[in-house]
Amino acid sequence: IGPREGKMNFTQNVLGVPRPSSVEVARERGRLIRKARWGPDARFEEVITRSVPLKELAWNFSFRNNSVEAYTDRHISPDGPILKVATGGYQIEPLANRKTRVTLTTTYRMRARLDTYLRLWGEILLGDIQENVLAIIKQRAEG
C-alpha cells in the first residue's frame, strides 16, 4: 500500500499512528491469516473466522508482539486488561447502479476509570483508521 493512498486524518497525520503499508493472506496451521503491517514496524494478524466471497470477511485480531503500542501508547496494549481489540470484518453489499457499499467494523472493549474520555478517543482514533482503510479500498476499486 503506497504512502499516498487513503486520506489524511488526525490520528495518522498528526498523532503519527502508522498507516497501512501491506497485508497478505497466508494459510498457517489450517487457518487463513491476514498478516498486516502498518508503517515500517507495526505488525498484527487477523485470524479469518468467516469468509463468504463478495459478501463478508470476518476475523479475530491477534497481537503477537508490542509493535502496535509502540506507536500508540506503551502503557495500553491492544490485547490487555485496559483495551481489548477483539474482532473485525468487512460487509459487502451490492447497491443499485452497479455500486457497492463496503462496511468495516471493529469491536473492542475498554476498562478504565476514564471510560467516557477513552471511549471518545477510541472512536476518534479507530474512526480515522477505518475511514482511511475504506478510502484506500475505494480509490483502488474506482481507480
Side-chain angles (χ1 to χ4, degrees):
I1 301 168
R4 297 189 195 279
E5 289 185 87
K7 61 187 256 182
M8 294 185 65
N9 62 54
F10 174 74
T11 299
Q12 294 171 308
N13 294 90
V14 176
L15 294 181
V17 172
R19 299 170 84 68
S21 51
S22 71
V23 65
E24 63 182 50
V25 178
R27 184 170 294 281
E28 291 183 4
R29 299 175 301 278
R31 304 180 301 180
L32 285 176
I33 300 174
R34 286 172 33 114
K35 295 176 175 258
R37 191 175 90 206
W38 290 49
D41 301 317
R43 289 178 167 65
F44 59 93
E45 295 179 347
E46 300 163 345
V47 180
I48 306 297
T49 58
R50 182 167 167 81
S51 177
V52 180
L54 302 175
K55 291 187 186 255
E56 177 184 16
L57 183 65
W59 58 79
N60 292 328
F61 284 97
S62 175
F63 300 93
R64 295 178 172 252
N65 59 44
N66 68 349
S67 65
V68 172
E69 67 241 42
Y71 283 99
T72 54
D73 186 328
R74 294 186 190 279
H75 303 98
I76 302 176
S77 166
D79 190 21
I82 295 173
L83 172 65
K84 170 73 173 161
V85 181
T87 65
Y90 292 108
Q91 295 287 324
I92 302 169
E93 176 186 358
L95 303 173
N97 301 324
R98 297 175 41 102
K99 293 189 176 202
T100 303
R101 175 182 296 130
V102 178
T103 305
L104 172 57
T105 58
T106 303
T107 59
Y108 62 93
R109 291 184 306 273
M110 281 189 181
R111 293 186 186 144
R113 285 177 269 176
L114 301 171
D115 278 347
T116 303
Y117 173 75
L118 290 175
R119 187 175 300 119
L120 174 64
W121 272 103
E123 293 301 318
I124 291 169
L125 294 159
L126 195 53
D128 279 354
I129 290 168
Q130 287 183 326
E131 285 179 21
N132 186 45
V133 168
L134 290 171
I136 293 167
I137 292 169
K138 182 176 183 185
Q139 288 166 357
R140 288 183 171 200
E142 293 177 350

